[in-house]
Amino acid sequence: MEAVRDPFQPLLHLIGRYRQDIHYLRPPPSAQAFPTIQAHIGPLPEGLSDFLHRWNGANLFKGSLRLRALTDLAPAAAEHPEVILFADGPGPGDRWGYARVEGGFHFGRWEGNSLRPLHEDFHRWLLAQARMLDEQRTDESAQLALRIEVDPDDGLLLTAAGEQLMMEGDGDAALKCFHKAVARSPELPHAWQRLGEALLSVDRTEARNALLMALRCTRLPLPYAGAPVAERDLFRLLEAHFPAGDPGWERELGHFLSERATDIHREEEADVLEAAALAWMRCRLARGGRQGARALLAQVRDRASAFTCPPLLPDLQLQLCRMDTDLGNHDEAEEQIRQMRAQAPVLRARALLALARIAHIRDEPWVEEILDEALSGEGRAGAPGAGGLTDEADRAEVLLIRIERGGWDLLPEALRLARGLQDTGLLARCALLSGDRAREGGNHEGARSYYNACSTDPETWLRARVRLGDLSPGAQEAAVHYRAAIEGFQTMQLPMREAWARLRMARLGDESQLDPALKLFRSASLPTGVAAVDSLRGSPGAHLPWHLNLAADYARQRHDAQRLRPPWTRADADRPERRLLAHRAAIAACDSRMVAALSEQMRADLLHVRRADLRVQGPPAMRFLAMADLLAGHPSWEAARELLHFLREDVPNEAVSRGLTGALIRSPNMSLVQLLLDSLKEGQRPDPTTLARTIEILGWRREPEAIGRIMQLAATGSLPVRKAAITALGRLHATQATDLLLGLIDAPDLAEAASVSLLLLGEWQGVDFHGQALARRQFLQRPAGEIVGRFGGPNYLLLLLSLLDREGVAGIGAMQGLGLMGNVRAVPRLIEIVGDRDPARANVAGAALALLTGHSEDLEAPHPRLRWSQWWDANGGRFSEGARYREGRPLTVRRLMERLGHDDPAARLSGYDELAISTGQRLPFDSDGPWRIQIAHRRAWDRWYADNAHLLPQSGWLFHGRAI
C-alpha cells in the first residue's frame, strides 16, 4: 500500500534548505484550545486546522511571514466577523484572512474593508506564499504566475489569469482559462460572467448560457466582504440576448430578486440588486406595463428598506421618479426627489434634472434655474457645489428641455451628443424638435419629414403623430393621427400625453373627449390642463373651487415650510410655490369672469376670517391668501381694482394682512401699479392704514413715480403713514429726500425709521444724531442704542458702555447695541450684568453676549456670571480687539450675505438692510418671497461680491463700502 503523503512536505522541504534560525515552527497547542477558539470564531478550514494541530503558529523567513497562533485568530473587524485573520506579512500592513463560502473556504489578502480572495486551499496558499518569499517575487503578474504554478486548478486563480490574458489581447487563451475555472469552481459567478463575455464573439448561444449561469450563481447577501460577485453590466449583456419584454427573461429576474437576493450588507451588493431591478422594470415596460413596472420598482425599494443595511439605490429611485412623472404622480415623484437632496452632489444634480422635468411638464416656473443648478452643482444657497451633471445623456436631456422651451440655438449641440451616444430615443427627440423648428419657420414639408423620422422611438413617434395631425390639411386626416396617438399613449400608460391629445380631438369638434381629458388632468392636479378644458367648454370659472382648494393647500404647505414646521425646511417651500404659480398662470389665462368669481369667494372667506378664525393656518385664512395670490397674477384692470378694494378692507388677522400686502408687492399686473399711484393723489383720501400699506407696496416695488407724493406724506401725514413713507424713501433710494429726512430724525416716533432710511441713502447724520442724544441723556429710546451699535462703529463703544447702568430702555438698548457692535471690549461689562438681580437686564446681557461670541449659558442655572467668566478666560484669546464679531466669527460682508439665508424672515430683512448699508449696493432681496426668488437674489449678491471683494475691507465696521 502506498504511504499517505504529508501535505506539508513541500513546505518542510523548502524550510529545510535554510538555517534553523530563519524559520520557527511553534509547538502544538493543548487539546482543549481548539474547542474554545472554535466556539468563538467558528469551524476552522481543514488545512489550517491541520497546521495548527501540528504547529501553533510559525515565523517564516525571520518573521516576514507570521502564521498566527490559535489564540491569535480573530475577526478582521467588528463589522466583518465573517472574515478571520490568520497570518501577517511580509509587508507591514499585509494581513491574510479566510472566509467560509458554499462548499469550502476562500483565502486571501485583507485590504481595506474587504477580503481579496486568491486561493480555495490553505496548503496551496501557504506554499505559494513561502515560495514567493524564497524566490523574492515582488511583481504582481509574477506572483500570479507562481500561484497558478503551485495551484493550477484553483478557480479563483484561473479567473484572474483569464482576465489578465484578456487585457493582453489573448482571447483564445483567456477562454480556456475561464472554461477551466467554471469546471473547477462552478459556484463562482464572476468566472461565468467572464466566460460569457469571452464567448460573445465566438458563440452567442453559449455566451447567453454562461451569463445566465453567472446570474443563477449570484446570491445576496455575499458570504463576505469582497466575495466574487457578478457585475451590474451582466444584466445589460443578458438583455441583449432576449427579445424585448421576453417572459422567460422576466421570470429569471423575478426569481433572482425574490429568492436569491434576500438581504443587503454591502454597497457592491446593492449595485447588483439595483441593476437586476432596473432590468426587470425595462422588461415589463417593453410590454407597455408602465404601472406594473412602477409597482415592481416600488416593491424592490420597499423591501430593500428593511434590509440589514438599507441601500440608497439612486438609479432605481430616479427611475421610479421618472415613472411617477410619466404617470402623473408628480407629488410622489417630488417627495422622492426631496429625499435625495442631501445625497452626494452628482446624485443631487440628477435629482434636480428630474425636478426640472416635472416642472416643465406642468408648465411651472423656474425650470431654467433648476437646470442651471443641476449643471453647475451649486448648492441651494448659491454656494458652489462639488459637482453637477457629468453623464452626457443627462446633459443631453437638459438641452432637450431647454430647446422645448425655445432655446433653438442649442439644437446642434443636442444632436452632437445624441449621435455620440448612439441613443435612438435622444435622436428621435432631436428629430421631433427639428420638426418643431421647421414648423415654426413655416417649412411644413420639412417639418413632416422630421416628424416621420421619429418612428425609431415609440413614445416620440406618438408625439410626432400629434404634430402631424396639427399639420394635416383636413379634419378627417388630423383625427386619424390624433386617434392613433391617443390609443398609443393609452397602451404605453402616458396619461398626461393622452389627455393633451384628447384636447386636440375636442378642438376638432369631438366633445366626448373632454370628460376623459378632464379626469386625467384632475388626477395629476394639472391646473393648465383643467383650465384648457374649461376654456374649450366656454366656462373658464367652472373649476374655480378646485383651483382654490388646491391653492389653499399649497399656501398652507408654503407657510409651514417658511416657518420650519417639522418635517419641513425652507427649501420645501419650492414645490408649493411652483404649484401656486402654475395655478396663477392658469387663472391668468382666463377672462374677467374668473376675476369676478375669485373676488366673490374672497369676500366670503374674509367674512369667516373676521368672525371666527384668527389662526393664519385656518382654512378660510389660507384660502383667502391663496386667492389673493391667484388674483394678483391676473393681468386685467378688473383684477387690479379688486386687489385695491381688498387692500382697503379691514383684515383683523395681521398675518393674513401681511400676506395680502405681499401678493400686491409681487403682482406683475401693471394696472395695479397705476391704481396704487392714483390712490396716493391728494384728491383721494383712503384711511391711514390703507395709505401706509400702499406706500409700503410702492416702496418695495421701487416705483420712482411715487417719490414726490411719498415725500409729501412723510412730512404731513398721520404717524403710521409718515413711518411708512420714511421707510419707503429709503427703499426707493430717494436721495432728493435727504434734507426732509434729516429734519425728521429729532421726532421721537420717527427717528428710527428716518435714521435707517438715511443710512440706506448713504447719509451718516442719523447715527450721529442718536449718538449725540445718547451722550446728552436725551431722547433715550431703545432703538437708539441698537442703531448706534449696529451702524455706528467702534467710536461709540465708550458711550454705550457708559449707559449700561441706566435703568429702563436706555440700558437695555445699550446692551443690545453692544451685542450688535461686536467689539470684544464690551464682553467683561456684559458678563457682570448677566448676574444682575433684574432678570430682564440679565437676559438681554446674555443675549448680547451670545450674539457677539456665539456662545450661550443657561441663565436659570446657578452662578451664570461665574460660568461666563470661566468660559471667557478659556476662549477670549481667540478674539481680536481690532475685529468686529457676530456669533463668534468676524463680521464681514460675506457673513452679512450669509445672513440672507437665515431661517427667520425678520432676521433676513434686518440682515439685508445691514448688508445694503455696509456695502452701499441696491441689489434686491425679497426676504419673505418665493424660495427660488431669494436664491436668485442671493446669487446676484454672490456675483457682485466676486467682482468687488478686492475693493472691500475684509473686517471691521463698514459704511457704503468704506471702513469706519
Side-chain angles (χ1 to χ4, degrees), residues 728-845:
L729 290 170
R731 304 272 176 234
L732 288 161
H733 200 65
T735 54
Q736 61 268 48
T738 301
D739 292 337
L740 169 65
L741 295 174
L742 286 172
L744 299 175
I745 57 175
D746 58 354
D749 294 325
L750 304 175
E752 180 184 7
S755 297
V756 173
S757 286
L758 283 168
L759 287 166
L760 287 169
L761 297 177
E763 177 53 61
W764 183 261
Q765 291 188 42
V767 176
D768 208 26
F769 169 80
H770 282 290
Q772 293 176 20
L774 287 171
R776 295 192 301 268
R777 305 295 194 268
Q778 297 173 351
F779 188 49
L780 291 181
Q781 291 190 351
R782 178 172 166 179
E786 294 180 23
I787 288 173
V788 169
R790 187 188 292 272
F791 302 113
N795 292 336
Y796 290 95
L797 173 66
L798 297 179
L799 173 60
L800 292 178
L801 288 173
S802 69
L803 296 172
L804 287 178
D805 294 329
R806 305 264 309 172
E807 297 294 332
V809 295
I812 295 294
M815 282 185 271
Q816 291 179 322
L818 288 169
L820 291 165
M821 180 176 286
N823 194 319
V824 296
R825 292 170 60 189
V827 170
R829 288 286 286 117
L830 291 172
I831 289 176
E832 290 179 15
I833 301 173
V834 294
D836 198 282
R837 294 181 179 178
D838 183 349
R841 286 174 54 80
N843 287 330
V844 173

Side-chain angles (χ1 to χ4, degrees), residues 784-949:
E786 294 180 23
I787 288 173
V788 169
R790 187 188 292 272
F791 302 113
N795 292 336
Y796 290 95
L797 173 66
L798 297 179
L799 173 60
L800 292 178
L801 288 173
S802 69
L803 296 172
L804 287 178
D805 294 329
R806 305 264 309 172
E807 297 294 332
V809 295
I812 295 294
M815 282 185 271
Q816 291 179 322
L818 288 169
L820 291 165
M821 180 176 286
N823 194 319
V824 296
R825 292 170 60 189
V827 170
R829 288 286 286 117
L830 291 172
I831 289 176
E832 290 179 15
I833 301 173
V834 294
D836 198 282
R837 294 181 179 178
D838 183 349
R841 286 174 54 80
N843 287 330
V844 173
L849 283 168
L851 181 63
L852 196 157
T853 66
H855 175 74
S856 61
E857 292 282 352
D858 182 4
L859 300 186
E860 299 297 325
H863 312 298
R865 182 186 299 168
L866 176 61
R867 284 183 283 107
W868 260 111
S869 297
Q870 290 173 342
W871 182 87
W872 184 246
D873 289 342
N875 296 276
R878 62 184 178 88
F879 292 86
S880 169
E881 288 192 4
R884 183 185 187 187
Y885 291 90
R886 184 74 56 84
E887 296 172 345
R889 295 166 58 191
L891 184 61
T892 61
V893 171
R894 170 57 69 184
R895 285 293 316 283
L896 289 172
M897 290 166 57
E898 291 173 5
R899 195 165 179 78
L900 300 183
H902 199 281
D903 289 335
D904 182 6
R908 294 195 294 272
L909 178 56
S910 64
Y912 172 61
D913 284 342
E914 194 167 0
L915 177 62
I917 291 167
S918 297
T919 62
Q921 294 302 308
R922 298 188 64 242
L923 293 173
F925 179 72
D926 191 345
S927 62
D928 203 28
W931 165 251
R932 288 202 174 270
I933 293 296
Q934 290 183 15
I935 295 303
H937 287 165
R938 293 180 65 189
R939 285 177 177 154
W941 275 100
D942 285 335
R943 290 191 292 271
W944 169 84
Y945 183 78
D947 293 337
N948 295 276

Side-chain angles (χ1 to χ4, degrees), residues 519-758:
K519 183 178 179 181
L520 292 171
F521 286 135
R522 287 189 55 148
S523 68
S525 300
L526 193 66
T528 52
V530 171
V533 172
D534 289 345
S535 178
L536 279 174
R537 282 180 167 159
S539 55
H543 276 82
L544 179 59
W546 180 84
H547 286 288
L548 297 183
N549 289 334
L550 281 176
D553 190 38
Y554 295 138
R556 185 176 62 254
Q557 292 176 27
R558 179 179 186 268
H559 181 272
D560 289 345
Q562 284 188 319
R563 281 142 188 85
L564 308 177
R565 296 185 187 275
W568 309 117
T569 66
R570 284 187 62 238
D572 292 316
D574 177 37
R575 176 171 56 177
E577 285 168 353
R578 282 187 286 105
R579 298 289 193 270
L580 277 168
L581 287 171
H583 282 280
R584 176 195 272 195
I587 295 294
C590 299
D591 58 27
S592 58
R593 289 175 292 173
M594 180 65 82
V595 173
L598 265 174
S599 301
E600 183 180 350
Q601 187 65 51
M602 285 180 71
R603 289 185 178 89
D605 280 324
L606 185 55
L607 286 176
H608 284 291
V609 173
R610 286 172 178 162
R611 288 172 183 169
D613 197 346
L614 295 179
R615 297 177 298 119
V616 68
Q617 283 190 289
M622 277 297 161
R623 197 162 49 244
F624 180 84
L625 288 175
M627 286 187 287
D629 194 69
L630 296 178
L631 190 59
H634 202 280
S636 67
W637 181 86
E638 290 83 0
R641 183 189 60 192
E642 292 296 333
L643 285 168
L644 194 61
H645 166 78
F646 285 111
L647 186 67
R648 292 169 176 165
E649 289 284 342
D650 175 32
V651 182
N653 189 312
E654 178 61 25
V656 174
S657 177
R658 297 302 309 164
L660 175 63
T661 302
L664 272 71
I665 289 172
R666 302 177 187 95
S667 172
N669 188 329
M670 297 312 297
S671 298
L672 174 63
V673 176
Q674 189 57 53
L675 288 176
L676 289 169
L677 290 171
D678 291 343
S679 70
L680 290 184
K681 293 179 180 178
E682 293 188 45
Q684 300 190 24
R685 295 291 182 185
D687 64 276
T689 302
T690 302
L691 194 53
R693 289 178 187 168
T694 303
I695 293 168
E696 179 187 5
I697 292 166
L698 291 168
W700 276 115
R701 293 183 69 103
R702 298 188 177 185
E703 296 292 343
E705 292 180 45
I707 291 177
R709 179 58 179 150
I710 290 176
M711 287 178 61
Q712 293 177 15
L713 292 170
T716 62
S718 62
L719 180 60
V721 171
R722 297 182 78 188
K723 280 187 174 181
I726 291 167
T727 302
L729 290 170
R731 304 272 176 234
L732 288 161
H733 200 65
T735 54
Q736 61 268 48
T738 301
D739 292 337
L740 169 65
L741 295 174
L742 286 172
L744 299 175
I745 57 175
D746 58 354
D749 294 325
L750 304 175
E752 180 184 7
S755 297
V756 173
S757 286
L758 283 168

Side-chain angles (χ1 to χ4, degrees), residues 152-163 165-166 170-188 190-211 213:
D153 295 324
D154 189 294
L156 293 169
L157 291 172
L158 287 167
T159 304
E163 290 173 335
L165 289 167
M166 287 293 289
D170 192 346
D172 293 337
L175 192 57
K176 292 178 182 177
C177 282
F178 294 140
H179 272 298
K180 288 178 64 177
V182 298
R184 172 65 180 81
S185 304
E187 75 284 353
L188 293 178
H190 75 307
W192 283 109
Q193 182 172 349
R194 293 292 177 263
L195 175 60
E197 292 168 351
L199 285 168
L200 284 174
S201 59
V202 179
D203 187 333
R204 289 187 62 82
T205 300
E206 286 301 314
R208 186 182 76 166
N209 293 336
L211 293 171
M213 284 299 299

Side-chain angles (χ1 to χ4, degrees), residues 256-530:
F256 170 77
L257 288 166
S258 61
E259 297 187 18
R260 292 201 295 273
T262 58
D263 201 357
I264 292 292
H265 292 171
R266 301 166 191 92
E267 186 176 338
E268 61 267 27
E269 299 168 4
D271 284 346
V272 176
L273 178 77
E274 184 176 60
L278 293 175
W280 198 15
M281 175 269 297
R282 289 190 293 270
C283 190
R284 181 66 62 89
L285 194 60
R287 300 204 302 272
R290 197 173 301 271
Q291 287 279 12
R294 191 258 176 218
L296 292 178
L297 291 183
Q299 174 188 334
V300 174
R301 178 200 62 189
D302 296 342
R303 187 163 158 259
S305 67
F307 285 166
T308 302
C309 295
L312 181 60
L313 304 178
D315 288 335
L316 185 149
Q317 288 194 65
L318 287 167
Q319 278 295 339
L320 188 55
C321 175
R322 190 176 188 93
M323 291 280 181
D324 278 328
T325 302
D326 290 339
L327 290 167
N329 306 326
H330 298 149
D331 285 347
E332 290 86 343
E334 285 211 41
E335 184 57 33
Q336 294 179 68
I337 292 170
R338 177 177 179 268
Q339 296 170 10
M340 288 185 274
R341 282 197 317 227
Q343 302 301 330
V346 173
L347 175 56
R348 181 177 176 276
R350 296 182 67 195
L352 284 169
L353 174 56
L355 180 63
R357 185 168 178 264
I358 294 172
H360 172 56
I361 289 171
R362 294 183 63 87
D363 290 325
E364 291 177 349
W366 303 314
V367 174
E368 284 76 10
E369 288 81 356
I370 298 171
L371 290 174
D372 286 341
E373 191 176 339
L375 284 171
S376 66
E378 287 184 343
R380 280 188 234 53
L389 294 172
T390 56
D391 185 77
E392 288 202 337
D394 288 337
R395 299 179 76 86
E397 179 75 17
V398 170
L399 292 174
L400 291 172
I401 293 174
R402 283 187 161 155
I403 294 166
E404 287 186 24
R405 299 178 67 83
W408 298 114
D409 57 320
L410 300 173
L411 190 54
E413 176 64 12
L415 271 168
R416 185 190 66 79
L417 285 175
R419 288 167 181 160
L421 292 166
Q422 296 184 343
D423 188 310
T424 55
L426 291 176
L427 286 168
R429 288 177 64 188
C430 287
L432 184 76
L433 293 171
S434 298
D436 291 346
R437 180 68 183 276
R439 178 183 172 188
E440 187 179 88
N443 182 7
H444 290 183
E445 285 303 316
R448 288 190 183 91
S449 176
Y450 280 121
Y451 292 148
N452 286 319
C454 297
S455 57
T456 55
D457 180 67
E459 180 183 343
T460 310
W461 171 235
L462 293 175
R463 295 175 65 187
R465 292 295 299 269
V466 174
R467 288 160 167 79
L468 287 169
D470 295 341
L471 291 175
S472 298
Q476 188 172 357
E477 182 183 346
V480 171
H481 287 294
Y482 294 152
R483 287 194 187 98
I486 291 169
E487 292 171 4
F489 288 137
Q490 275 185 312
T491 302
M492 297 186 72
Q493 296 180 353
L494 293 167
M496 291 301 96
R497 299 204 184 282
E498 177 194 340
W500 288 113
R502 288 184 181 277
L503 284 192
R504 296 294 215 291
M505 284 292 293
R507 291 192 181 99
L508 290 180
D510 185 358
E511 294 187 1
S512 66
Q513 301 290 338
L514 289 175
D515 283 338
L518 179 62
K519 183 178 179 181
L520 292 171
F521 286 135
R522 287 189 55 148
S523 68
S525 300
L526 193 66
T528 52
V530 171

